Amino acid sequence: YGYRTPRSMRNQENWDKAQRISAIKMIQISLVTGSLSFLLGISDRSETFVAIFSLVISLLGLAYLFYVTEKKLKSS
């Protein structure tokens, strides 16, 4: 696992910073996604709704991961 984009591979400092930031964000996103999916899973919602909702939350989390990491790399 790792965060590999042209900006993160520009130099060693960017690489180290990107790996540190993205790892923290991935853990945070996983906790939020897992918690929401669990709560929806024990509710009376249909399995299809839970699956689609979980997918959407995961994709939004991924977009957030790239946005935050790239923004911090750009500012350095």
Side-chain angles (χ1 to χ4, degrees):
Y1 299 97
Y3 186 87
R4 185 175 172 172
T5 62
R7 186 172 280 136
S8 71
M9 295 188 302
R10 205 168 275 160
N11 57 47
Q12 188 64 45
E13 180 184 345
N14 277 9
W15 179 258
D16 294 339
K17 188 174 184 178
Q19 301 317 305
R20 192 172 44 257
I21 294 167
S22 65
I24 291 168
K25 293 300 172 190
M26 282 185 221
I27 291 168
Q28 292 171 345
I29 291 165
S30 297
L31 290 172
V32 169
T33 303
S35 298
L36 289 173
S37 296
F38 174 75
L39 291 174
L40 279 175
I42 62 173
S43 70
D44 60 348
R45 301 281 183 173
S46 71
E47 289 181 24
T48 304
F49 176 82
V50 173
I52 292 171
F53 183 81
S54 297
L55 178 64
V56 169
I57 293 298
S58 295
L59 292 174
L60 289 173
L62 185 61
Y64 172 73
L65 168 74
F66 278 98
Y67 174 76
V68 169
T69 306
E70 290 297 315
K71 185 176 178 181
K72 289 188 180 193
L73 287 177
K74 192 175 181 179
S75 69
S76 61

